[in-house]
Amino acid sequence: GAVVSQHPSRVICKSGTSVKIECRSLDFQATTMFWYRQFPKKSLMLMATSNEGSKATYEQGVEKDKFLINHASLTLSTLTVTSAHPEDSSFYICSARLFDEMAVGGEQFFGPGTRLTVL
Amino acid sequence: GENVEQHPSTLSVQEGDSAVIKCTYSDSASNYFPWYKQELGKRPQLIIDIRSNVGEKKDQRIAVTLNKTAKHFSLHITETQPEDSAVYFCAASPPVTGGGNKLTFGTGTQLKVEL
């Protein structure tokens, strides 16, 4: 299957700093990538849909100025958590969908996740 | 938007027994239903998926059934093994022309296969 990488895998930062997380599709082009947040023993909550060359679409309740998403190429999307606070500590996972304009339902491949801890 | 409910939240079975996890969805337009397995601290891995034009799909010990009328779909694991222990998530996705297909996830089922 397709491979999605995510970097860093783990990050610890001080409150008030910004953290950038990268999501890359390694062997395919992904016009659409998704960013999820997962709390311990909970389900994946979609934060935003990242579209190459256009603005991200955020889910209700997700602050777009706090979670900045950039999808500058067909293989890279970044999530920047700005002015991070302890409540932003979580497991952030990205996924990428295979490029297929005719897809009825596109398989998503997940990155390994980034564990963010804000002190 | 889509809403997916998943039951049970925890499931314990003896090795060799079968396990069944059930999900319901709300949006009748949803047409893609994947199942993911997630081990602790790891990424979700797709184990099987089904599209709305079929009612059942099987891959070795894993099968998924879909009832579009009732908006139910289920995961069946036969001859369970200890390595099947993990959290399983169902998901549903409506078609979105030209863009991506958003997945709405169920709440997850912690499956434990006991020796």
Side-chain angles (χ1 to χ4, degrees), chain B residues 12-28:
Chain B
S12 249
V13 299
Q14 294 293 315
E15 183 180 9
D17 287 350
S18 295
V20 179
I21 302 170
K22 298 181 179 181
C23 288
T24 60
Y25 61 99
S26 62
D27 188 347
S28 57

Side-chain angles (χ1 to χ4, degrees), chain A residues 67-101:
Chain A
F67 299 99
L68 300 178
I69 291 172
N70 183 274
H71 194 154
S73 76
L74 285 171
T75 59
L76 173 65
S77 176
T78 60
L79 167 69
T80 301
V81 183
T82 62
S83 187
H85 290 284
E87 57 265 30
D88 298 324
S89 299
S90 192
F91 192 52
Y92 292 88
I93 310 177
C94 70
S95 71
R97 174 179 170 267
L98 285 171
F99 177 79
D100 183 354
E101 290 181 349

Side-chain angles (χ1 to χ4, degrees), chain B residues 48-61:
Chain B
I48 196 167
D49 58 10
I50 191 167
R51 300 183 191 277
S52 59
N53 57 345
V54 297
E56 185 173 355
K57 184 177 179 180
K58 189 174 182 180
D59 182 4
Q60 300 183 338
R61 297 186 297 110

Side-chain angles (χ1 to χ4, degrees), chain A residues 3-5 31-32 34 36 38 41-46 49 51 59 91 93 97 100-101 103-113 115, chain B residues 31-32 36 38 40-46 49 51-52 87 89-90 93-108 110:
Chain A
V3 180
V4 176
S5 71
T31 54
T32 304
F34 302 88
Y36 296 86
Q38 187 176 33
K41 297 187 178 181
K42 296 293 184 182
S43 188
L44 289 88
M45 288 177 47
L46 179 64
T49 302
N51 299 299
E59 294 299 300
F91 192 52
I93 310 177
R97 174 179 170 267
D100 183 354
E101 290 181 349
V104 174
E107 182 175 351
Q108 290 187 25
F109 298 92
F110 284 84
R115 175 77 57 193
Chain B
N31 61 358
Y32 176 62
Y36 288 89
Q38 187 180 29
L40 190 62
K42 302 281 184 70
R43 77 184 83 195
Q45 298 271 18
L46 180 72
D49 58 10
R51 300 183 191 277
S52 59
V87 179
F89 292 100
C90 63
S93 173
V96 178
T97 303
N101 293 87
K102 292 198 310 184
L103 287 177
T104 300
F105 282 84
T107 48
Q110 175 74 62

